[in-house]
Amino acid sequence: MAVWNREVECASVEVRQELQLARLQETLERVYARVPFYREKLDRAGVNPDAVTSLKDIAKLPLTTKDELRQTYPYGLLACDRADLVEIHTSSGTTGTPVVGAYTEADIDMWGEVMARTLTMAGCVRGDTVQNGYGYGLFTGGLGVHYGARRIGANLIPISSGNTRRQLMIMRDFGTTLLTCTPSYSLFLAEAAIEEGIDFRTLPLKAGCFGAEPWSENMRVEIESKLNISAHDIYGLTELIGPGVASECECKNGQHFNEDYFYPEIIDPETGAVLPDGEKGELIITSLKREGTPLLRYRTRDITYLMREPCPCGRTTVRIHRLLGRTDDMMIIRGVNCFPSQIENVLMRIEGTQPHYQIVIDRGASHLDEIEIQVEVEEAVFSDVTRAMEQLRKRIHDELKSELGISAHIKLVEPRSIPRSEGKAKRIIDKRSI
Ligand code: DLL
């Protein structure tokens, strides 16, 4: 059964806003009564739940930041009894303190609904075979798609990420019609298919839902031609639910926001002022129905803008433009979120290295992210025997791998060879033309 919840997705603005206000008020009451962190925050801001009598009043509420989520780890933002939890996910970030999303049965139910809407937009119906190449586990990609495909009643292959040859074999043998994975991995599959002698034009694959990392219109053109499919952009984040926050319909002109569950705003990241539709800024999201870990005005750090022009598909929900960047320096390397500061922390505790380094990210012929870290080493080390250099290189590689989960190519360079900057150091050179 396709899940196109017309009553909600095609509702008039008035009907939708009425629902949003009622849910916002319930959420406020819930967090005020059950989450001391929010009670204190709202008290400090001088807003109690009764102060919100229209949707515009949401601007009175304080913003929530990722740092606050970390400070309240692991259960500080829980708005239900522990006994009512049925699942927990955390961010793919490896900063030591993960960001937690905790789900009650009703939250999982809602996740299934929004993910079923997402897959439906890509044309998925009962009888389709969905190959789910997002990682299963704490990452939300795997189980998010899983619940959506189950809701539709599609034939789901929970293959998870990696193991490229097997992905291709399964795709060919089981007649996969819909693929879900990161956009870069889909291109990697296309390359590998050539080596395996598999021609996508002969496969029944018709569509794919791609997200979890930045990609571009150029990349869509490449994916659509190489895999011979329709490629849809899907957006979400662990903090709010995982995938299922917004997704593209067949018109591919912005991602429809599941506004009955998530309330979007765009703010100026410097001043915090709410910006009008069409203006670029930081996406802020309030959950309207979460029971486990509801969030008020969460700063996603993702940059986009809101599009309210009618969409020919008939859905009336507001859309977000394809993401335009982030307000911080978070890198997403093969789906793993990490910050330059984490790499720096590892480098700085290894003797023989200098605090001068550069991170070069590229997508090679394989279409997968490759990361090279150039590190200046001390004079003595650099002139030392090759074996010592090799040991140091291996140690940096292994520590980064175990701490951040990324496998980087390490290049030790001479002292003073990395360009110095008069202002902020340019740590990241991102050559990915996505
Ligand atoms: O990446 C959830 C997800 C899984 C989305 C599968 C789509 C498909 P996190 O690991 O918490 O959750 O990372 C969230 O990834 O704030 C964005 O910066 C980035 N991101 C997610 N989707 C897109 C997209 C999942 N379609 C962070 N385009 C977000 C660009 C995206 N960036």
Side-chain angles (χ1 to χ4, degrees):
M1 184 188 68
V3 176
W4 186 349
N5 192 338
R6 280 169 209 272
E7 206 182 310
V8 182
E9 291 178 86
C10 305
S12 68
V13 174
E14 297 72 39
V15 168
R16 176 168 303 118
Q17 288 186 343
E18 202 177 308
L19 178 77
Q20 287 178 315
L21 179 61
R23 289 186 172 177
L24 175 64
Q25 287 167 334
E26 279 166 27
T27 297
L28 271 172
E29 267 156 33
R30 185 176 190 92
V31 297
Y32 197 82
R34 290 173 171 255
V35 188
F37 164 83
Y38 269 128
R39 191 181 317 128
E40 283 156 28
K41 206 171 155 75
L42 288 166
D43 283 345
R44 268 200 310 278
V47 237
N48 66 36
D50 300 339
V52 173
T53 55
S54 78
L55 277 179
K56 281 210 173 70
D57 290 338
I58 198 167
K60 294 181 190 164
L61 303 175
L63 299 163
T64 307
T65 64
K66 194 170 203 142
D67 276 346
E68 288 173 319
L69 263 54
R70 295 214 165 98
Q71 285 153 18
T72 51
Y73 175 87
Y75 284 124
L77 289 182
L78 207 62
C80 67
D81 294 339
R82 286 269 292 277
D84 289 331
L85 289 182
V86 297
E87 205 164 302
I88 286 180
H89 286 267
T90 70
S91 58
S92 56
T94 40
T95 28
T97 314
V99 164
V100 181
Y103 304 68
T104 64
E105 194 65 56
D107 290 335
I108 295 287
D109 200 51
M110 180 239 290
W111 202 11
E113 161 79 19
V114 289
M115 280 310 293
R117 290 182 197 172
T118 294
L119 296 171
T120 299
M121 286 189 209
C124 180
V125 291
R126 186 167 183 275
D128 267 313
T129 300
V130 179
Q131 181 159 341
N132 186 11
Y134 285 116
Y136 277 68
L138 289 176
F139 178 57
T140 52
L143 280 160
V145 169
H146 191 100
Y147 294 134
R150 291 298 312 275
R151 180 69 64 93
I152 290 175
N155 173 20
L156 176 74
I157 305 178
I159 189 163
S160 195
S161 52
N163 208 334
T164 307
R165 285 185 69 179
R166 191 168 59 157
Q167 297 271 359
L168 290 168
M169 188 188 84
I170 296 272
M171 188 178 284
R172 181 194 58 203
D173 296 349
F174 293 161
T176 301
T177 52
L178 200 120
L179 172 68
T180 57
C181 62
T182 57
S184 54
Y185 191 66
S186 75
L187 283 176
F188 184 60
L189 280 173
E191 294 285 332
I194 297 170
E195 281 162 36
E196 296 293 312
I198 294 175
D199 181 352
F200 271 94
R201 283 169 308 183
T202 64
L203 300 181
L205 195 66
K206 60 179 184 185
C209 290
F210 305 112
E213 65 183 8
W215 56 308
S216 60
E217 281 306 311
N218 287 341
M219 214 163 142
R220 187 198 320 262
V221 171
E222 210 175 328
I223 294 173
E224 294 196 329
S225 81
K226 288 197 167 146
L227 282 87
N228 194 28
I229 58 169
S230 172
H232 298 251
D233 194 6
I234 68 171
Y235 170 75
L237 59 169
T238 315
E239 295 90 314
L240 268 306
I241 195 139
V245 173
S247 21
E248 272 182 343
C249 66
E250 71 274 16
C251 302
K252 298 179 192 163
N253 179 23
Q255 306 186 50
H256 288 275
F257 220 83
N258 281 306
E259 280 187 276
D260 47 331
Y261 293 122
F262 308 104
Y263 187 85
E265 298 167 88
I266 300 290
I267 63 161
D268 176 332
E270 302 293 326
T271 64
V274 177
L275 298 176
D277 294 345
E279 269 189 45
K280 275 183 221 161
E282 181 177 350
L283 176 65
I284 303 296
I285 309 177
T286 300
S287 67
L288 297 176
K289 198 77 183 140
R290 277 304 290 275
E291 292 183 346
T293 38
L295 288 179
L296 300 183
R297 303 192 81 211
Y298 181 65
R299 297 191 69 152
T300 64
R301 300 184 183 181
D302 289 320
I303 299 172
T304 181
Y305 58 87
L306 297 180
M307 306 161 71
R308 261 182 238 275
E309 308 77 48
C311 183
C313 77
R315 293 177 182 83
T316 53
T317 38
V318 70
R319 282 162 290 147
I320 49 166
H321 184 268
R322 181 189 279 290
L323 295 206
L324 298 162
R326 289 185 54 86
T327 61
D328 59 21
D329 55 0
M330 184 175 89
M331 303 176 287
I332 305 182
I333 297 160
R334 296 198 184 187
V336 176
N337 306 350
C338 66
F339 291 90
S341 56
Q342 293 175 268
I343 293 181
E344 184 166 318
N345 284 342
V346 172
L347 291 178
M348 290 313 105
R349 33 164 228 256
I350 298 177
E351 219 174 294
T353 61
Q354 295 273 333
H356 301 293
Y357 61 93
Q358 218 155 33
I359 302 162
V360 185
I361 316 168
D362 205 353
R363 259 179 208 160
S366 65
H367 295 292
L368 290 182
D369 299 335
E370 306 288 347
I371 173 166
E372 177 181 90
I373 303 174
Q374 301 169 353
V375 194
E376 279 187 23
V377 292
E378 285 166 8
E379 199 83 56
V381 180
F382 200 77
S383 49
D384 210 339
V385 283
T386 326
R387 204 164 63 84
M389 290 269 281
E390 181 48 31
Q391 271 172 358
L392 179 61
R393 210 189 55 73
K394 187 168 180 319
R395 179 157 172 228
I396 297 174
H397 173 274
D398 293 352
E399 291 207 16
L400 282 170
K401 172 103 193 159
S402 86
E403 199 133 320
L404 306 185
I406 54 171
S407 188
H409 177 71
I410 309 296
K411 186 171 172 194
L412 302 182
V413 298
E414 264 183 275
R416 290 173 301 283
S417 60
I418 290 184
R420 307 296 195 251
S421 156
E422 286 175 4
K424 284 177 192 284
K426 186 164 170 50
R427 296 289 187 213
I428 308 171
I429 300 176
D430 199 337
K431 295 185 176 166
R432 290 177 290 192
S433 47
I434 51 168

